[in-house]
Amino acid sequence: MTPLPLRADLAGLTPYGAPQLDVPVLLNVNENPYAPSDAVVSSIAQAVTGAARGLNRYPDRDFLDLRKDLAAYLFAESGVALAPEQVWAANGSNEVMLHLLQAFGGPGRTVLSFAPTYSMYPEYARDTFTTWVAGRREADFSLDPDAARRAIAEHAPSVVLLASPNNPTGTALGLDVVRAVLDAAADVPGGCVVVVDEAYGEFRREGTPSALTLLATYPHLAVSRTMSKAFGMAGARLGYLAASSELVDALRVVRLPYHLSAVSQAVARAALAHSAELMAQVGSLRAERDQTVAWLRERGLAVADSDANFALFGTFDDRRAVWQGLLDRGVLIREVGPPGWLRVSIGTPEEMAAFKDALVEVAGL
Ligand SMILES: *Cc1c(COP(=O)(O)O)cnc(C)c1O
Protein backbone atom coordinates (compact mmCIF):
# COMPACT_ATOMS: atom_id res chain seq x y z
CA MET A 1 0.00 0.00 0.00
CA THR A 2 1.21 3.52 -0.75
CA PRO A 3 2.23 5.09 2.56
CA LEU A 4 0.64 8.34 3.65
CA PRO A 5 3.17 11.02 4.59
CA LEU A 6 1.81 11.44 8.11
CA ARG A 7 3.98 13.63 10.35
CA ALA A 8 6.24 11.38 12.42
CA ASP A 9 5.02 13.01 15.65
CA LEU A 10 1.43 12.10 14.82
CA ALA A 11 2.09 8.43 13.96
CA GLY A 12 0.02 6.05 16.06
CA LEU A 13 -1.95 8.81 17.81
CA THR A 14 -5.71 8.51 18.29
CA PRO A 15 -8.16 11.43 18.24
CA TYR A 16 -8.96 13.05 21.59
CA GLY A 17 -12.38 12.54 23.06
CA ALA A 18 -14.40 11.06 25.87
CA PRO A 19 -16.56 8.09 24.88
CA GLN A 20 -19.92 9.26 23.45
CA LEU A 21 -22.15 6.43 24.66
CA ASP A 22 -25.93 6.20 24.53
CA VAL A 23 -26.86 5.77 28.19
CA PRO A 24 -29.63 7.37 30.30
CA VAL A 25 -27.45 9.45 32.64
CA LEU A 26 -24.66 11.44 30.98
CA LEU A 27 -22.34 12.98 33.56
CA ASN A 28 -19.03 12.79 31.72
CA VAL A 29 -18.27 15.99 29.80
CA ASN A 30 -19.46 18.77 32.12
CA GLU A 31 -22.37 19.84 29.96
CA ASN A 32 -25.29 21.81 31.36
CA PRO A 33 -28.01 19.14 31.83
CA TYR A 34 -30.83 21.57 31.02
CA ALA A 35 -31.88 21.85 27.37
CA PRO A 36 -32.78 25.36 26.17
CA SER A 37 -36.38 26.41 26.88
CA ASP A 38 -38.99 26.73 24.13
CA ALA A 39 -38.55 30.52 24.21
CA VAL A 40 -34.78 30.22 23.63
CA VAL A 41 -35.26 27.58 20.93
CA SER A 42 -37.73 29.76 19.06
CA SER A 43 -35.46 32.86 19.26
CA ILE A 44 -32.58 30.80 17.91
CA ALA A 45 -34.71 29.34 15.14
CA GLN A 46 -35.81 32.83 14.11
CA ALA A 47 -32.24 34.12 14.13
CA VAL A 48 -31.08 31.18 12.02
CA THR A 49 -33.87 31.85 9.52
CA GLY A 50 -32.66 35.44 9.25
CA ALA A 51 -29.08 34.32 8.77
CA ALA A 52 -30.16 31.74 6.18
CA ARG A 53 -31.51 34.49 3.92
CA GLY A 54 -27.98 35.89 3.60
CA LEU A 55 -26.01 32.66 3.29
CA ASN A 56 -24.96 33.45 -0.29
CA ARG A 57 -22.60 36.01 1.28
CA TYR A 58 -19.59 35.39 3.49
CA PRO A 59 -20.24 36.22 7.15
CA ASP A 60 -19.05 39.36 8.96
CA ARG A 61 -15.35 38.56 9.39
CA ASP A 62 -14.92 40.72 12.46
CA PHE A 63 -18.34 39.97 14.05
CA LEU A 64 -18.31 43.19 16.06
CA ASP A 65 -22.01 42.88 16.92
CA LEU A 66 -21.39 39.52 18.57
CA ARG A 67 -18.27 40.88 20.32
CA LYS A 68 -20.36 43.78 21.65
CA ASP A 69 -22.98 41.34 22.99
CA LEU A 70 -20.28 39.19 24.61
CA ALA A 71 -18.74 42.30 26.24
CA ALA A 72 -22.19 43.24 27.59
CA TYR A 73 -22.62 39.73 28.97
CA LEU A 74 -19.21 39.83 30.70
CA PHE A 75 -20.09 43.19 32.20
CA ALA A 76 -23.33 41.79 33.60
CA GLU A 77 -21.61 38.63 34.85
CA SER A 78 -18.47 40.09 36.41
CA GLY A 79 -18.84 43.88 36.45
CA VAL A 80 -15.82 44.33 34.16
CA ALA A 81 -16.40 46.79 31.31
CA LEU A 82 -14.71 45.90 28.00
CA ALA A 83 -14.70 47.38 24.50
CA PRO A 84 -15.86 45.01 21.72
CA GLU A 85 -12.29 45.20 20.33
CA GLN A 86 -11.12 43.51 23.54
CA VAL A 87 -13.23 40.44 22.86
CA TRP A 88 -12.49 37.59 20.48
CA ALA A 89 -14.52 34.50 19.60
CA ALA A 90 -14.18 31.23 17.72
CA ASN A 91 -15.74 27.80 17.33
CA GLY A 92 -15.41 26.78 20.98
CA SER A 93 -12.73 28.00 23.36
CA ASN A 94 -10.67 25.12 22.00
CA GLU A 95 -10.26 27.14 18.80
CA VAL A 96 -9.59 30.31 20.80
CA MET A 97 -6.72 28.44 22.52
CA LEU A 98 -5.40 27.30 19.17
CA HIS A 99 -5.41 30.91 17.93
CA LEU A 100 -3.47 31.92 21.05
CA LEU A 101 -0.81 29.28 20.47
CA GLN A 102 -0.64 30.00 16.74
CA ALA A 103 0.04 33.65 17.54
CA PHE A 104 2.21 33.38 20.64
CA GLY A 105 3.62 29.82 20.55
CA GLY A 106 5.43 28.08 17.73
CA PRO A 107 8.71 26.26 17.02
CA GLY A 108 11.44 27.05 19.54
CA ARG A 109 8.89 28.37 22.03
CA THR A 110 7.42 26.87 25.18
CA VAL A 111 3.94 26.75 26.67
CA LEU A 112 3.85 26.14 30.41
CA SER A 113 0.95 24.81 32.44
CA PHE A 114 0.52 23.03 35.77
CA ALA A 115 -0.72 19.44 36.01
CA PRO A 116 -3.10 17.83 36.59
CA THR A 117 -4.98 20.02 34.13
CA TYR A 118 -7.02 19.99 30.92
CA SER A 119 -5.86 17.18 28.67
CA MET A 120 -6.37 19.20 25.46
CA TYR A 121 -3.59 21.68 26.27
CA PRO A 122 -0.73 19.40 25.17
CA GLU A 123 -2.58 18.86 21.89
CA TYR A 124 -2.71 22.59 21.08
CA ALA A 125 1.02 22.66 21.81
CA ARG A 126 1.68 19.69 19.52
CA ASP A 127 -0.41 21.11 16.70
CA THR A 128 1.49 24.42 16.79
CA PHE A 129 4.95 22.83 17.30
CA THR A 130 5.24 24.52 20.67
CA THR A 131 7.21 22.73 23.41
CA TRP A 132 4.87 21.56 26.18
CA VAL A 133 6.08 21.83 29.79
CA ALA A 134 3.88 20.90 32.75
CA GLY A 135 4.84 22.01 36.25
CA ARG A 136 3.08 20.43 39.22
CA ARG A 137 0.18 21.57 41.34
CA GLU A 138 0.25 20.91 45.09
CA ALA A 139 -1.34 17.82 46.69
CA ASP A 140 -4.62 19.74 47.12
CA PHE A 141 -4.39 20.81 43.41
CA SER A 142 -3.72 24.45 44.30
CA LEU A 143 -0.85 26.34 42.70
CA ASP A 144 2.00 27.60 44.87
CA PRO A 145 2.95 31.12 43.70
CA ASP A 146 6.65 30.55 44.41
CA ALA A 147 6.69 27.28 42.48
CA ALA A 148 4.93 29.04 39.60
CA ARG A 149 7.45 31.91 39.64
CA ARG A 150 10.36 29.46 39.63
CA ALA A 151 8.91 27.45 36.74
CA ILE A 152 8.41 30.61 34.67
CA ALA A 153 11.95 31.81 35.37
CA GLU A 154 13.35 28.36 34.51
CA HIS A 155 11.45 27.70 31.27
CA ALA A 156 10.92 31.26 29.96
CA PRO A 157 7.66 30.27 28.25
CA SER A 158 5.96 32.53 25.71
CA VAL A 159 2.57 31.29 26.95
CA VAL A 160 1.36 30.19 30.39
CA LEU A 161 -1.99 28.37 30.51
CA LEU A 162 -3.89 28.41 33.81
CA ALA A 163 -7.28 26.76 34.01
CA SER A 164 -9.32 28.36 36.80
CA PRO A 165 -11.52 26.66 37.87
CA ASN A 166 -9.25 23.84 36.75
CA ASN A 167 -10.41 20.77 34.86
CA PRO A 168 -10.43 17.98 36.09
CA THR A 169 -9.94 19.13 39.70
CA GLY A 170 -12.41 22.05 40.04
CA THR A 171 -9.77 24.21 41.75
CA ALA A 172 -10.07 27.98 41.35
CA LEU A 173 -6.95 30.14 41.69
CA GLY A 174 -6.84 33.15 43.97
CA LEU A 175 -5.97 36.43 42.28
CA ASP A 176 -2.76 36.55 44.35
CA VAL A 177 -1.49 33.49 42.43
CA VAL A 178 -2.64 34.86 39.07
CA ARG A 179 -0.89 38.16 39.85
CA ALA A 180 2.31 36.34 40.82
CA VAL A 181 2.23 34.51 37.48
CA LEU A 182 1.51 37.72 35.55
CA ASP A 183 4.37 39.54 37.28
CA ALA A 184 6.81 36.69 36.64
CA ALA A 185 5.62 36.51 33.01
CA ALA A 186 6.36 40.22 32.60
CA ASP A 187 10.02 39.42 33.32
CA VAL A 188 10.35 36.77 30.59
CA PRO A 189 12.70 38.12 27.89
CA GLY A 190 10.70 38.51 24.67
CA GLY A 191 7.41 38.50 26.56
CA CYS A 192 4.91 35.97 27.80
CA VAL A 193 1.15 35.82 27.49
CA VAL A 194 -0.80 34.44 30.46
CA VAL A 195 -4.07 32.72 29.56
CA VAL A 196 -6.58 32.10 32.33
CA ASP A 197 -9.08 29.55 31.04
CA GLU A 198 -12.33 30.34 32.84
CA ALA A 199 -14.50 27.83 30.97
CA TYR A 200 -16.21 27.16 34.32
CA GLY A 201 -15.97 30.75 35.60
CA GLU A 202 -19.71 31.22 36.14
CA PHE A 203 -19.77 28.34 38.63
CA ARG A 204 -17.20 29.91 40.95
CA ARG A 205 -18.21 30.14 44.59
CA GLU A 206 -19.14 33.36 46.38
CA GLY A 207 -15.99 35.39 47.00
CA THR A 208 -13.91 33.82 44.21
CA PRO A 209 -13.09 36.67 41.81
CA SER A 210 -12.66 36.35 38.04
CA ALA A 211 -9.31 37.17 36.41
CA LEU A 212 -11.33 39.54 34.19
CA THR A 213 -10.84 42.07 37.00
CA LEU A 214 -7.08 42.10 36.23
CA LEU A 215 -7.39 42.92 32.52
CA ALA A 216 -7.11 46.66 32.99
CA THR A 217 -3.71 46.21 34.69
CA TYR A 218 -2.10 43.50 32.56
CA PRO A 219 -1.91 43.82 28.75
CA HIS A 220 -0.37 40.32 28.51
CA LEU A 221 -3.39 38.64 30.13
CA ALA A 222 -6.12 36.79 28.21
CA VAL A 223 -9.18 35.37 29.96
CA SER A 224 -11.04 32.74 27.98
CA ARG A 225 -14.67 31.78 28.44
CA THR A 226 -17.15 29.56 26.65
CA MET A 227 -20.87 29.21 26.03
CA SER A 228 -20.44 25.41 26.33
CA LYS A 229 -20.76 25.00 30.10
CA ALA A 230 -22.79 27.36 32.33
CA PHE A 231 -24.49 28.83 29.30
CA GLY A 232 -25.78 25.44 28.18
CA MET A 233 -24.79 25.78 24.52
CA ALA A 234 -22.09 23.13 24.04
CA GLY A 235 -23.63 22.16 20.71
CA ALA A 236 -23.38 25.71 19.35
CA ARG A 237 -19.54 25.75 19.53
CA LEU A 238 -18.89 29.28 20.73
CA GLY A 239 -15.88 30.16 22.84
CA TYR A 240 -14.44 33.61 23.42
CA LEU A 241 -11.81 35.58 25.29
CA ALA A 242 -11.22 39.01 26.73
CA ALA A 243 -7.83 40.73 26.56
CA SER A 244 -6.15 43.95 25.53
CA SER A 245 -7.08 45.04 21.99
CA GLU A 246 -3.39 44.57 20.99
CA LEU A 247 -3.53 40.94 22.02
CA VAL A 248 -6.83 40.42 20.19
CA ASP A 249 -5.38 42.02 17.03
CA ALA A 250 -2.64 39.38 17.01
CA LEU A 251 -5.30 36.64 16.98
CA ARG A 252 -7.01 38.23 13.98
CA VAL A 253 -3.83 37.53 11.99
CA VAL A 254 -3.89 33.76 12.51
CA ARG A 255 -7.60 32.97 12.33
CA LEU A 256 -8.89 31.30 9.19
CA PRO A 257 -10.88 33.65 6.95
CA TYR A 258 -14.56 33.77 7.98
CA HIS A 259 -13.94 31.19 10.71
CA LEU A 260 -17.19 32.02 12.53
CA SER A 261 -20.15 31.17 10.31
CA ALA A 262 -23.14 33.50 9.97
CA VAL A 263 -25.22 30.75 11.57
CA SER A 264 -22.89 30.49 14.60
CA GLN A 265 -22.94 34.25 15.05
CA ALA A 266 -26.74 34.38 14.83
CA VAL A 267 -27.19 31.47 17.26
CA ALA A 268 -24.80 32.99 19.79
CA ARG A 269 -26.42 36.42 19.66
CA ALA A 270 -29.91 34.97 20.02
CA ALA A 271 -28.79 32.89 23.02
CA LEU A 272 -27.01 35.86 24.62
CA ALA A 273 -30.25 37.84 24.46
CA HIS A 274 -31.60 35.23 26.88
CA SER A 275 -28.59 35.17 29.22
CA ALA A 276 -30.60 35.99 32.33
CA GLU A 277 -32.81 32.96 31.75
CA LEU A 278 -29.98 30.65 30.73
CA MET A 279 -27.93 31.67 33.75
CA ALA A 280 -30.84 31.09 36.13
CA GLN A 281 -29.86 27.41 36.35
CA VAL A 282 -26.32 28.18 37.42
CA GLY A 283 -27.43 28.81 40.99
CA SER A 284 -29.18 25.47 41.28
CA LEU A 285 -26.28 23.64 39.62
CA ARG A 286 -23.91 25.24 42.14
CA ALA A 287 -26.14 24.16 45.00
CA GLU A 288 -26.36 20.64 43.56
CA ARG A 289 -22.55 20.62 43.28
CA ASP A 290 -22.04 21.63 46.92
CA GLN A 291 -24.58 19.03 47.98
CA THR A 292 -22.87 16.31 45.91
CA VAL A 293 -19.45 17.19 47.36
CA ALA A 294 -20.86 17.04 50.90
CA TRP A 295 -22.59 13.72 50.20
CA LEU A 296 -19.42 12.12 48.86
CA ARG A 297 -17.42 13.37 51.84
CA GLU A 298 -20.01 12.05 54.30
CA ARG A 299 -19.40 8.65 52.77
CA GLY A 300 -15.69 8.88 53.51
CA LEU A 301 -14.48 9.75 50.05
CA ALA A 302 -11.90 12.41 49.24
CA VAL A 303 -13.31 15.23 47.10
CA ALA A 304 -11.37 18.15 45.67
CA ASP A 305 -12.88 21.56 46.51
CA SER A 306 -14.85 22.54 43.41
CA ASP A 307 -15.70 25.90 41.88
CA ALA A 308 -16.94 24.16 38.72
CA ASN A 309 -19.92 22.04 37.65
CA PHE A 310 -18.21 18.77 38.45
CA ALA A 311 -16.48 17.04 41.33
CA LEU A 312 -13.27 15.00 41.36
CA PHE A 313 -13.56 12.25 43.93
CA GLY A 314 -11.79 9.10 45.07
CA THR A 315 -9.65 7.44 45.62
CA PHE A 316 -10.27 3.92 44.39
CA ASP A 317 -7.79 1.07 44.06
CA ASP A 318 -9.53 0.09 40.84
CA ARG A 319 -11.22 3.18 39.45
CA ARG A 320 -11.86 1.48 36.13
CA ALA A 321 -14.08 -1.06 37.93
CA VAL A 322 -16.07 1.73 39.63
CA TRP A 323 -16.43 3.60 36.33
CA GLN A 324 -17.57 0.39 34.59
CA GLY A 325 -19.96 -0.52 37.42
CA LEU A 326 -21.65 2.88 37.12
CA LEU A 327 -21.84 2.51 33.35
CA ASP A 328 -23.46 -0.92 33.76
CA ARG A 329 -26.14 0.90 35.79
CA GLY A 330 -26.69 3.51 33.08
CA VAL A 331 -24.51 6.28 34.57
CA LEU A 332 -21.59 7.55 32.50
CA ILE A 333 -18.92 9.52 34.37
CA ARG A 334 -15.28 10.24 33.44
CA GLU A 335 -12.16 8.28 34.20
CA VAL A 336 -9.73 11.17 34.34
CA GLY A 337 -7.30 12.86 36.71
CA PRO A 338 -4.54 11.39 38.88
CA PRO A 339 -4.62 7.61 39.46
CA GLY A 340 -7.53 6.52 41.65
CA TRP A 341 -9.75 9.57 41.02
CA LEU A 342 -12.97 9.88 39.02
CA ARG A 343 -14.87 12.95 37.84
CA VAL A 344 -18.63 13.38 37.86
CA SER A 345 -20.41 16.29 36.17
CA ILE A 346 -23.31 17.90 37.99
CA GLY A 347 -26.64 16.98 36.39
CA THR A 348 -30.27 17.39 37.36
CA PRO A 349 -31.37 16.28 40.86
CA GLU A 350 -32.79 13.09 39.28
CA GLU A 351 -29.50 12.35 37.52
CA MET A 352 -27.51 12.94 40.71
CA ALA A 353 -29.84 10.61 42.61
CA ALA A 354 -29.21 7.91 39.99
CA PHE A 355 -25.47 8.51 40.30
CA LYS A 356 -25.56 8.23 44.10
CA ASP A 357 -27.66 5.07 44.07
CA ALA A 358 -25.34 3.45 41.56
CA LEU A 359 -22.21 4.51 43.45
CA VAL A 360 -23.54 3.13 46.74
CA GLU A 361 -24.06 -0.24 45.02
CA VAL A 362 -20.79 -0.32 43.11
CA ALA A 363 -18.42 1.01 45.77
CA GLY A 364 -20.34 -0.41 48.75
CA LEU A 365 -20.46 2.98 50.52
C1 LIG B 1 -14.94 22.29 28.53
C2 LIG B 1 -13.68 23.10 28.58
C3 LIG B 1 -13.46 24.10 27.65
C4 LIG B 1 -14.52 24.45 26.66
O1 LIG B 1 -14.28 24.03 25.40
P1 LIG B 1 -15.24 24.52 24.22
O2 LIG B 1 -14.38 24.30 23.03
O3 LIG B 1 -15.54 25.97 24.44
O4 LIG B 1 -16.46 23.67 24.26
C5 LIG B 1 -12.31 24.85 27.76
N1 LIG B 1 -11.42 24.64 28.74
C6 LIG B 1 -11.62 23.69 29.66
C7 LIG B 1 -10.63 23.52 30.75
C8 LIG B 1 -12.74 22.88 29.60
O5 LIG B 1 -12.91 21.91 30.50
Side-chain angles (χ1 to χ4, degrees), residues 30 91-95 118 121 163 167 197 199-200 226 228-229 237-239:
N30 303 337
N91 298 282
S93 54
N94 276 274
E95 189 181 14
Y118 191 34
Y121 293 159
N167 181 3
D197 180 354
Y200 302 97
T226 181
S228 296
K229 307 288 163 60
R237 309 305 302 129
L238 204 293

Side-chain angles (χ1 to χ4, degrees), residues 1-302:
M1 205 183 81
T2 317
L4 295 172
L6 182 65
R7 276 163 42 183
D9 61 316
L10 299 181
L13 297 187
T14 49
Y16 169 87
Q20 286 190 313
L21 304 176
D22 188 16
V23 298
V25 182
L26 293 172
L27 301 174
N28 67 329
V29 287
N30 303 337
E31 294 152 330
N32 189 319
Y34 298 103
S37 70
D38 288 346
V40 176
V41 169
S42 106
S43 290
I44 289 176
Q46 235 174 0
V48 170
T49 301
R53 297 190 204 286
L55 284 182
N56 55 313
R57 302 291 179 192
Y58 282 109
D60 177 359
R61 231 180 358 226
D62 290 312
F63 48 95
L64 275 167
D65 289 336
L66 172 58
R67 290 156 78 187
K68 202 187 303 164
D69 290 353
L70 288 166
Y73 168 74
L74 288 177
F75 181 70
E77 200 273 331
S78 67
V80 175
L82 298 158
E85 291 76 16
Q86 291 184 267
V87 177
W88 184 242
N91 298 282
S93 54
N94 276 274
E95 189 181 14
V96 171
M97 288 289 178
L98 189 61
H99 288 168
L100 283 162
L101 285 190
Q102 285 175 324
F104 300 111
R109 294 178 164 207
T110 295
V111 51
L112 172 70
S113 190
F114 297 90
T117 192
Y118 191 34
S119 45
M120 274 302 295
Y121 293 159
E123 303 213 0
Y124 313 139
R126 177 198 73 201
D127 293 344
T128 56
F129 303 96
T130 313
T131 301
W132 167 253
V133 174
R136 296 299 307 175
R137 286 169 176 260
E138 304 300 297
D140 65 355
F141 307 124
S142 66
L143 183 55
D144 173 45
D146 290 322
R149 274 192 211 99
R150 278 197 303 275
I152 292 167
E154 178 185 347
H155 298 289
S158 60
V159 179
V160 177
L161 285 182
L162 301 175
S164 176
N166 185 40
N167 181 3
T169 65
T171 322
L173 299 174
L175 290 191
D176 54 329
V177 185
V178 180
R179 272 199 208 90
V181 168
L182 282 159
D183 291 336
D187 292 335
V188 173
C192 173
V193 165
V194 176
V195 183
V196 180
D197 180 354
E198 292 192 349
Y200 302 97
E202 289 95 340
F203 294 109
R204 65 192 186 277
R205 288 175 291 182
E206 210 64 52
T208 308
S210 162
L212 290 167
T213 55
L214 300 175
L215 281 172
T217 326
Y218 295 97
H220 57 301
L221 168 64
V223 181
S224 85
R225 292 278 185 113
T226 181
M227 291 177 73
S228 296
K229 307 288 163 60
F231 219 88
M233 287 279 147
R237 309 305 302 129
L238 204 293
Y240 55 103
L241 66 66
S244 61
S245 53
E246 292 79 3
L247 196 155
V248 169
D249 278 344
L251 306 180
R252 294 172 62 218
V253 175
V254 296
R255 59 114 179 87
L256 292 173
Y258 312 109
H259 68 288
L260 212 49
S261 83
V263 172
S264 297
Q265 295 180 37
V267 169
R269 295 194 65 205
L272 283 162
H274 288 269
S275 21
E277 180 196 332
L278 285 160
M279 297 298 293
Q281 294 134 359
V282 169
S284 55
L285 287 168
R286 277 209 209 109
E288 192 70 38
R289 174 215 39 222
D290 293 340
Q291 203 273 330
T292 302
V293 169
W295 183 89
L296 290 163
R297 284 182 179 153
E298 279 160 22
R299 269 141 201 90
L301 291 167

